[in-house]
Amino acid sequence: MPALPAAFEARMQDQLGPDWAAFAEALNSPAPVSINYNRAKTEAPIYEGSPVLWNRTAQYLPERPSFTLDPHFHAGRYYVQEAGSMFLAYVVEQLRQTQDFSTALDLCGAPGGKTTVLLNALPDDCIVVANEVIKGRYAILRENLAKWGRANVIATHADSERFSPLTRRFDLVVVDAPCSGEGLFRKTPDATKEWNPENVVICESRQQNILDHTMPLIAPGGILIYSTCTYNKGENDDQVARILEKGGFETVSFDLPEDWGIMPTGLGYQFYPHRTRSEGFYLAVLRKEGKATNRSSKTPMRYFTKVPKATEQAALSWLDPEAQLSILTTPKGQLYAVPDGALPLLSILSQSLPRLDPGTPVGLMKGKHLIPDHALSLSLHLHPDTPVADLDKDTALDYLRKAALPARPGQKGWHLMRYDGWGIGWGKMLPNRVNNYFPNHLKIKLQSFTTRTVENSAPDLSDKK
């Protein structure tokens, strides 16, 4: 990797003392590869690997495969994620032993890794709001949430201050804050060129601003989880200390196995690559003082409306009748399937935020017929009688690159294109061909397509955090 910035190196030598040499050596070793399985789509591991100790649905892989050429990846059966950041799974699991969570907010959600961990770790009826302020990253967040297939998530696109009307609404808020990225130097070597002490100060200020907007959102007795992918005290423990000084919060600690190698800092927990099989990561947990109160309220829905009965029946015919979903529409006719339990929170969000996408996008009506959304093909809530076309791996990869597919005599109309039992998109069967409805912007863009020739050249689609 490139030489470390001198100021960073000097600070880390002082911070680590005798551990500095092992830390520096670790930064010049290969980064581990780890994935988190979608618990609703994977009963047994797809790859051979070893467990990530702090997340029961995750594993390390002995080498990095070509995820781009794995239809399981496109079906949302796992998410490629840095192991340290999956410590969130252990924390939520421990917290659930003593308290319930009905609403959660991932305030800095893109590209989606933390949100998918929450969806794995929280109850299925917990409504999870995943927010991202940057437009391009919001699109990526939505794509990754669609792969996870759950309707109990609401994607939002807003600055943290726009959430101010949602005071005391969330049982759990995760702030994976924008940071200087010191913990990604091994995985993303170019990050060393962007690091400087001035940027660290800017990050600290940005984090303070986000946290100031966040603290009022948490319900009495609720939890704030603050994390970064950096090492310095100013972005980590000092931010937690500042919250404690304001009052109203207390830290939550855990008894961690010593062999995990995770370092308690006094206010949080630090991951170092020479002590754990991970990159640099920091996490702290705080509980808001007080007891939970009734947050029921009647707020009119803005932008989204219920659909006419005929449209509702057409949309619900594509969905599992036991899923208890309501069909909503936008002025442009986009249909969404939203859990009934999410409607009160969605009403409040719709009054406050400029952009949100709730539940599962179902599609658009064309006359009396539904044109299904790609996200619906990945949903866990599809009707069990949905027509399917099972594909072998080569045909699935052809589908994912939008190649022409051979006709399927005897099949007609919309079919779920499925690999190993899980949807990857839609196809429409015609007498002499199959119309491929995989989205153009998601297709595998390779000029020459053989597994052997592109195995090591496929783009990296993993979560950088």
Side-chain angles (χ1 to χ4, degrees), residues 68-80:
T68 306
L69 300 184
D70 182 6
H72 293 294
F73 173 79
H74 298 275
R77 298 191 66 190
Y78 61 84
Y79 188 92
V80 186

Side-chain angles (χ1 to χ4, degrees), residues 26-187:
L27 290 187
N28 285 293
S29 65
V33 180
S34 49
I35 60 176
N36 188 28
Y37 286 108
N38 185 339
R39 67 171 170 84
K41 292 187 176 184
T42 307
E43 295 182 357
I46 296 168
Y47 288 102
E48 294 292 330
S50 55
V52 174
L53 298 176
W54 43 84
N55 183 4
R56 64 180 64 194
T57 61
Q59 68 177 166
Y60 296 101
L61 305 185
E63 59 184 7
R64 188 181 189 87
S66 176
F67 295 116
T68 306
L69 300 184
D70 182 6
H72 293 294
F73 173 79
H74 298 275
R77 298 191 66 190
Y78 61 84
Y79 188 92
V80 186
Q81 189 171 13
E82 199 283 306
S85 67
M86 292 189 271
F87 183 54
L88 176 63
Y90 173 82
V91 167
V92 173
E93 185 178 80
Q94 295 301 305
L95 292 169
R96 284 190 62 190
Q97 295 182 17
T98 57
Q99 66 187 101
D100 298 324
F101 297 102
S102 61
T103 56
L105 168 63
D106 185 0
L107 192 60
C108 309
K114 301 294 189 308
T115 310
T116 57
V117 169
L118 290 176
L119 290 170
N120 259 12
L122 289 168
D124 291 347
D125 60 354
C126 179
I127 307 305
V128 179
V129 178
N131 180 68
E132 175 56 43
V133 66
I134 300 173
K135 184 176 181 180
R137 288 171 60 82
Y138 180 65
I140 296 170
L141 172 64
R142 289 191 61 209
E143 290 169 7
N144 285 323
L145 294 181
K147 288 181 181 179
W148 224 243
R150 300 280 290 276
N152 62 316
V153 62
I154 302 172
T156 62
H157 173 41
D159 188 88
S160 58
E161 63 183 322
R162 296 294 294 266
F163 283 82
S164 58
L166 284 94
T167 301
R168 301 155 68 98
R169 292 301 307 186
F170 295 99
D171 302 316
L172 170 65
V173 177
V174 175
V175 177
D176 186 41
C179 68
S180 59
E182 297 168 356
L184 300 178
F185 282 177
R186 174 168 64 173
K187 192 171 183 180

